């Protein structure tokens, strides 16, 4: 049976396109400004993914009895942050493709790509500040959520990049969970849902329950992404590049903690080698499996999902929206099927 949240994304992922495009359709007498800034950003936005983050923001507003149209600017703000993060991440990770197209820094140059990402960051606050439908008090509350989200994400990215750069292999599962919660869970789940509920007029109890639900499902989303990179579609452009880049994923950190000394030493060598050799990458996955790390990560994601679902049991929500949120929790961990 098809997942209801997947169907929701498929049906609505283009709903915000025109609204987002408007941020990059500027009346300017300078053609170069269009060429060097607005056009690349518009093209990047139009090549959007599933847009689950802005769509769950709208869903949360409806879930607490509000008008999802009131949350358009906040949903757009979250999408602008996602775009900025991806543009900058591709530079840091030396990526080649983003959503099937060459990364912006490859087509526009590193300097202009950084500048485009910086402009997207300005729109996170600008989108909300210029929204005539929101009261000043709601704007201040939403902007507080969004700025904290950005700070936490950058903190998580600092850990993720720094651990690789400084060749840290002494990390624990708790270290990983703290990093992934900062880097992914807040902006992929917790804040979109909390902000949507705030704009929808939800109670403090509803807002905090949706935030907790989003933290757990957002973390499960990241763990499942880590697993997909290792055992998902072998034809994917990024298949097993987490090993090549030496990423400290939950699987890798758990294996380094629990592998036998000889296996751990071999893993350290592989994660330090930047190898793209399929045989070397296969060997790393074999070592992950032997240490029980693949099953550990998947089971942990399932536990997070179960806890997230139980959180929703404690609050009143629109019944149709509740079912979509529960389906979202399942969708995030079903993607290996």
């Amino acid at each position: 049976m098809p997942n209801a949240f997947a169907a929701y994304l498929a049906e609505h992922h283009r709903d915000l396109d025109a609204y987002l495009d408007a941020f990059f359709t500027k009346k300017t007498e300078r053609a170069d400004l269009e060429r060097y800034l607005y056009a690349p950003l518009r093209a990047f936005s139009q090549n959007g993914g599933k847009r689950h983050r802005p769509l769950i923001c709208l869903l949360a507003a409806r879930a607490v009895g509000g008008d999802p149209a009131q949350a358009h600017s906040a949903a757009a703000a979250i999408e602008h942050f996602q775009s900025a993060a991806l543009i900058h991440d591709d530079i840091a990770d030396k990526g080649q493709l983003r959503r099937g197209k060459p990364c912006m820094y490859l087509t526009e140059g590193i300097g202009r790509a950084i500048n485009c990402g910086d402009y997207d960051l300005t729109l996170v606050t600008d989108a909300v500040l210029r929204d005539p439908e929101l009261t000043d008090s709601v704007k201040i509350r939403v902007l507080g959520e969004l700025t904290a989200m950005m700070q936490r994400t950058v903190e998580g990215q600092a850990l993720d990049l720094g651990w690789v750069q400084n060749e840290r292999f002494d990390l624990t599962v708790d270290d990983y969970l703290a990093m992934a919660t900062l880097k992914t869970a807040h902006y992929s789940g917790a804040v979109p849902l909390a902000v949507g509920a705030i704009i929808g007029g939800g109670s403090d109890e509803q807002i905090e329950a949706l935030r907790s639900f989003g933290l757990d499902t957002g973390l499960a989303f990241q763990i499942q992404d880590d697993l997909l990179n290792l055992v998902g579609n072998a034809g994917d452009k990024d298949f097993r590049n987490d090993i090549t880049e030496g990423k400290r994923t939950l699987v890798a950190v758990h294996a380094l903690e629990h592998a036998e000394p000889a296996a751990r030493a071999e893993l350290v060598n592989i994660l330090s080698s930047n190898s793209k050799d399929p045989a070397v990458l296969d060997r790393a996955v074999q070592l992950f499996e032997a240490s029980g790390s693949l099953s550990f990560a998947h089971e942990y994601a399932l536990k997070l999902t179960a806890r997230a679902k139980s959180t929703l049991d404690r609050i009143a929500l629109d019944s149709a929206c509740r079912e979509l949120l529960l389906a979202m929790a399942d969708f995030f961990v079903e993607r290996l099927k």
Side-chain angles (χ1 to χ4, degrees):
M1 181 177 177
N3 180 281
F5 184 72
Y8 170 75
L9 294 181
E11 181 180 356
H12 295 286
H13 79 284
R14 292 296 182 191
D15 286 3
L16 284 170
D17 281 9
Y19 187 83
L20 290 165
D21 279 354
F23 288 91
F24 309 118
T25 305
K26 305 283 187 178
K27 292 182 179 179
T28 176
E29 297 178 357
R30 297 185 179 277
D32 285 349
L33 196 54
E34 164 70 12
R35 165 68 187 88
Y36 297 142
L37 182 64
Y38 301 134
L41 280 169
R42 188 165 57 248
F44 191 89
S45 178
Q46 289 171 349
N47 189 36
K50 294 182 176 66
R51 299 212 198 279
H52 93 255
R53 295 166 184 85
L55 288 176
I56 64 174
C57 179
L58 304 183
L59 182 60
R62 181 156 62 96
V64 298
D67 179 3
Q70 296 282 314
H72 277 184
S73 63
I78 292 163
E79 186 67 7
H80 289 315
F81 178 69
Q82 162 78 347
S83 293
L86 294 179
I87 291 167
H88 290 162
D89 281 359
D90 286 339
I91 298 168
D93 296 339
K94 300 178 182 178
Q96 298 300 304
L97 293 175
R98 172 62 62 185
R99 297 165 180 160
K101 294 187 177 181
C103 294
M104 186 186 288
Y105 80 95
L106 295 175
T107 59
E108 305 299 321
I110 291 176
R112 290 215 311 275
I114 292 172
N115 196 57
C116 283
D118 289 347
Y119 189 82
D120 249 331
L121 288 175
T122 72
L123 295 177
V124 178
T125 52
D126 191 62
V128 175
L129 283 171
R130 293 179 184 274
D131 187 345
E133 302 300 319
L134 298 180
T135 65
D136 288 349
S137 61
V138 169
K139 286 180 181 179
I140 290 170
R141 191 171 179 186
V142 168
L143 288 173
E145 293 281 348
L146 294 175
T147 52
M149 173 194 76
M150 291 189 286
Q151 290 167 349
R152 288 167 177 152
T153 306
V154 171
E155 288 170 349
Q157 177 75 334
L159 294 174
D160 197 22
L161 294 172
W163 288 343
V164 174
Q165 183 177 357
N166 287 343
E167 299 182 348
R168 292 286 303 279
F169 293 103
D170 59 341
L171 305 170
T172 67
V173 165
D174 284 345
D175 289 328
Y176 168 87
L177 296 173
M179 179 276 292
T181 298
L182 288 168
K183 181 178 176 179
T184 303
H186 286 284
Y187 98 95
S188 290
V191 173
L193 290 170
V195 163
I198 289 168
I199 293 171
S203 67
D204 287 345
E205 183 183 21
Q206 287 172 316
I207 292 164
E208 293 313 312
L210 285 167
R211 186 195 309 279
S212 176
F213 174 86
L215 277 174
D216 282 341
T217 54
L219 184 53
F221 177 84
Q222 181 60 59
I223 292 169
Q224 202 73 343
D225 256 9
D226 294 347
L227 285 165
L228 281 166
N229 188 269
L230 299 174
V231 297
N233 183 3
D236 187 272
K237 65 179 178 64
D238 292 328
F239 187 60
R240 295 183 174 173
N241 70 342
D242 282 352
I243 303 171
T244 301
E245 295 173 10
K247 291 282 188 180
R248 284 13 174 212
T249 63
L250 180 58
V251 173
V253 170
H254 181 272
L256 289 167
E257 269 198 293
H258 294 89
E260 295 295 327
R264 185 185 188 280
E266 189 176 358
L267 268 177
V268 168
N269 286 335
I270 292 173
L271 293 171
S272 303
S273 69
N274 302 122
S275 177
K276 296 180 181 181
D277 183 343
V280 174
L281 304 183
D282 281 343
R283 179 57 181 160
V285 174
Q286 290 170 10
L287 292 168
F288 291 151
E289 188 164 13
S291 64
S293 301
L294 294 173
S295 59
F296 171 83
H298 185 57
E299 288 167 10
Y300 198 93
L302 292 176
K303 289 177 183 177
L304 288 168
T305 300
R307 187 170 71 183
K309 289 181 175 182
S310 70
T311 300
L312 291 192
D313 292 340
R314 303 197 298 266
I315 56 170
L317 294 173
D318 172 85
S319 59
C321 294
R322 181 192 299 276
E323 292 306 311
L324 279 175
L325 289 168
L326 292 173
M328 169 186 136
D330 289 331
F331 173 72
F332 282 174
V333 294
E334 285 173 353
R335 292 173 298 149
L336 275 176
K337 294 181 179 179

